[in-house]
Amino acid sequence: GSPHNLSFRVKFFVTDPSKLQEEYTRYQYFLQIKQDILTGRLPCPHNTAALLASYAVQSELGDYNEAEHSPGYLSDFCFIPNPPQDFHKEVSKHHQQHSGLSPAQSEFNYLNTARSLELYGVELHYAK
């Protein structure tokens, strides 16, 4: 890989994602929040993380299909740091309930759920 890492960062967190009018901006914001949760920058309880991950899977893979999505279909995905053992099962269970959601709707639901996290919109900086 490249030694360089480019990230889309925001100066102000959006309190209501529905106010983002441009779909591309909303998508970039979705990617940034997803990355913040993955790296642990935005702490997230496991039950909420499973729901958020299921929206991300719905956005990327579409509707759950038992023939297509055999057990372990989420093994290549990484959603949170150090997931518990049954995390992917919980994500899969939520994913099955999202049938019919388009990628844009899934990303919107992701952002709408993420904004309810306790430390959403807070940037922690360590000081000595």
Side-chain angles (χ1 to χ4, degrees), residues 3 13 22 34-35 49 58 63 68 76 81 102 108 118-119:
F13 283 81
E22 292 290 325
K34 191 169 112 175
Q35 183 67 24
Q58 178 70 20
D63 291 344
E68 235 177 80
D76 292 338
S102 70
F108 177 79
E118 185 177 348
L119 292 177

Side-chain angles (χ1 to χ4, degrees), residues 50-98:
L51 178 62
L52 290 172
S54 70
Y55 285 129
V57 169
Q58 178 70 20
S59 172
E60 192 165 329
L61 300 180
D63 291 344
Y64 178 83
N65 181 339
E66 200 168 321
E68 235 177 80
H69 302 115
S70 58
Y73 74 102
L74 297 174
S75 60
D76 292 338
F77 288 89
C78 193
F79 303 106
I80 58 173
N82 306 317
Q85 190 170 3
D86 61 343
F87 184 75
H88 286 112
K89 279 185 185 177
E90 195 174 341
V91 172
S92 179
K93 191 167 69 170
H94 284 300
H95 179 210
Q96 293 173 27
Q97 299 169 354
H98 300 320

Side-chain angles (χ1 to χ4, degrees), residues 9-50:
R9 299 294 303 160
V10 294
K11 187 170 182 174
F12 301 102
F13 283 81
V14 179
T15 56
D16 185 1
S18 66
K19 295 195 177 175
L20 292 172
Q21 295 177 1
E22 292 290 325
E23 188 172 336
Y24 188 70
T25 303
R26 192 171 27 248
Y27 175 69
Q28 291 296 321
Y29 194 65
F30 157 75
L31 291 177
Q32 183 60 56
I33 297 298
K34 191 169 112 175
Q35 183 67 24
D36 287 350
I37 290 173
L38 172 63
T39 59
R41 180 180 241 146
L42 178 57
C44 184
H46 290 151
N47 59 342
T48 306

